[in-house]
Amino acid sequence: VSRQPFVRPMSKTTWYMRNKRYKVYMLREMTSLLVGFYTFLTIWALAALSANSPDAWNDFIVSQQNPGMLVFHGLALLYFLFFQTFPWFRLAPKAMPVHVGEKKLPGAYIVIGHYVAWVLISAFIFWLVG
Amino acid sequence: MMVCGSCGMMVNGEPSLTCKTFIRDLPDKVRVEPLENFPIERDLVVVLDDVMQKLQQAQPYIIRKDAPPPEDEEFRQSRAALAKFKQLTLCINCMCCYAACPQYGLDNSFMGPAALTLAHRYNLDSRDQGKSRRLNILADHDGVWECSFVGACSEVCPKSVDPAAAIQQMKIDGAVEYWKQKLGFSGGGS
């Protein structure tokens, strides 16, 4: 008798609806859309700068200061925090475990280290911007 | 319980070792299915040929460049060196991680969690010197870089082996090894 194993098809477009784990993963991956948007914004800002006219730059600044844009930036920041910063910092001890002798350094130290570095670097950037 | 790894099945959609899954912990309706992402042979039996081949590709044995110790001696290993990979040796090949991995489900040319973890276990072994040989295969397209860190493999692993962590560590190793070879000081080693 020849074997005829049955292969269950997996939808290329809706597989992530299968369980909650996959959905959360897709929400995390969707930050790539925001990254795309901010890339576009950076190119726009650079174009405004290279236009060599103060008006072009002012137009760009004003366009980012209207209430709708401010709300969008705020929401984008929250989305990045909850779907990138928090989960990746939580996972950091897995990617870079530190062994001290026979014992593993508790993950909390590595996570806290990441948050401290984050605060310091943010403070430095704020100081640069003035 | 949890020693042989042959009873992996989907219980209410979750890859589980059925020997340690109790009816009393489940809701009234229980749905038992064959492991996801594998071809079904019959009933609850799935075909594991593909994964068996991948486990071999990982070269799960000690590779030496230097001569092995003399016959009457043994490979010495400190407890600290053992602690680095002990957790990864607990894998019982139940394949729950493959059933949880959407990347493997979408494209089974991916090496997958257990095979990559097994390779990492030998890469971390202080007696082994085959890291560069393994990374040549595993840091390739169908190796670690196909993993997008969904992390489901680690969540369903009944032995807490944490394959997702092993794969992320291998990505770092792979990148370091790539630059070592690129810059011309490929020592290999362990």
Side-chain angles (χ1 to χ4, degrees):
Chain A
V1 184
S2 66
R3 290 169 61 182
Q4 285 180 306
F6 172 65
V7 178
R8 286 162 286 181
M10 187 170 181
S11 163
K12 296 265 183 224
T13 46
T14 57
W15 61 267
Y16 49 84
M17 298 307 281
R18 198 188 274 171
N19 61 43
K20 191 183 156 223
R21 222 176 261 135
Y22 294 175
K23 285 178 198 158
V24 171
Y25 162 74
M26 279 313 258
L27 286 173
R28 187 188 89 199
E29 295 299 292
M30 263 160 58
T31 44
S32 61
L33 297 175
L34 286 173
V35 172
F37 173 78
Y38 280 101
T39 310
F40 162 76
L41 212 62
T42 311
I43 293 171
W44 184 13
L46 287 174
L49 269 180
S50 63
N52 226 351
S53 82
D55 286 347
W57 178 245
N58 277 333
D59 285 349
F60 173 75
I61 296 291
V62 170
S63 74
Q64 297 307 305
Q65 282 171 341
N66 82 60
M69 254 350 251
L70 288 178
V71 170
F72 176 82
H73 288 314
L75 290 177
L77 183 68
L78 284 177
Y79 199 88
F80 274 118
L81 272 180
F82 281 97
F83 288 102
Q84 293 282 336
T85 313
F86 297 155
W88 287 123
F89 280 10
R90 187 167 50 80
L91 292 170
K94 289 178 174 245
M96 38 179 116
V98 180
H99 286 269
V100 184
E102 290 173 35
K103 292 247 172 73
K104 230 182 189 176
L105 191 73
Y109 289 119
I110 299 170
V111 176
I112 291 169
H114 275 74
Y115 278 102
V116 170
W118 179 40
V119 168
L120 289 179
I121 293 170
S122 300
F124 177 70
I125 291 173
F126 275 116
W127 174 78
L128 266 189
V129 175
Chain B
M1 283 193 291
M2 293 198 285
V3 285
C4 80
S6 10
C7 67
M9 291 167 210
M10 306 298 289
V11 179
N12 286 349
E14 185 79 357
S16 319
L17 274 190
T18 38
C19 65
K20 66 149 201 168
T21 305
F22 294 101
I23 295 285
R24 63 168 178 263
D25 300 329
L26 294 169
D28 288 343
K29 272 194 180 174
V30 180
R31 187 185 168 94
V32 181
E33 295 164 276
L35 271 183
E36 205 79 63
N37 299 339
F38 291 107
I40 300 174
E41 181 75 49
R42 186 171 172 169
D43 300 333
L44 290 168
V45 181
V46 290
V47 182
L48 294 172
D49 299 355
D50 179 53
V51 177
M52 291 303 145
Q53 202 194 336
K54 288 188 162 118
L55 290 174
Q56 285 195 358
Q57 279 175 14
Q59 307 178 63
Y61 34 81
I62 287 176
I63 298 172
R64 296 285 294 179
K65 282 184 181 154
D66 305 340
E71 289 278 310
D72 53 342
E73 271 181 46
E74 54 207 9
F75 281 119
R76 298 221 164 193
Q77 188 164 53
S78 69
R79 282 195 193 180
L82 173 67
K84 281 193 176 162
F85 67 87
K86 182 94 188 280
Q87 183 192 4
L88 305 179
T89 65
L90 301 178
C91 173
I92 53 173
N93 296 335
C94 66
M95 301 306 150
C96 285
C97 53
Y98 279 82
C101 177
Q103 298 296 352
Y104 182 74
L106 288 166
D107 178 5
N108 68 3
S109 57
F110 174 39
M111 284 290 285
L116 290 169
T117 305
L118 187 62
H120 193 51
R121 172 248 177 276
Y122 281 92
N123 283 345
L124 289 179
D125 194 317
S126 61
R127 301 163 296 180
D128 181 85
Q129 297 173 328
K131 190 174 183 173
S132 57
R133 212 168 105 184
R134 279 188 206 98
L135 283 176
N136 278 343
I137 304 166
L138 304 175
D140 215 338
H141 295 293
D142 295 331
V144 287
W145 299 109
E146 193 69 18
C147 163
S148 57
F149 207 175
V150 181
C153 50
S154 291
E155 286 178 39
V156 302
C157 180
K159 304 294 278 186
S160 303
V161 171
D162 207 347
I167 296 174
Q168 307 324 308
Q169 292 162 24
M170 276 184 101
K171 285 179 183 170
I172 298 174
D173 284 352
V176 170
E177 190 67 27
Y178 171 83
W179 282 107
K180 263 191 191 166
Q181 289 182 4
K182 200 101 181 154
L183 298 173
F185 38 18
S186 156
S190 54

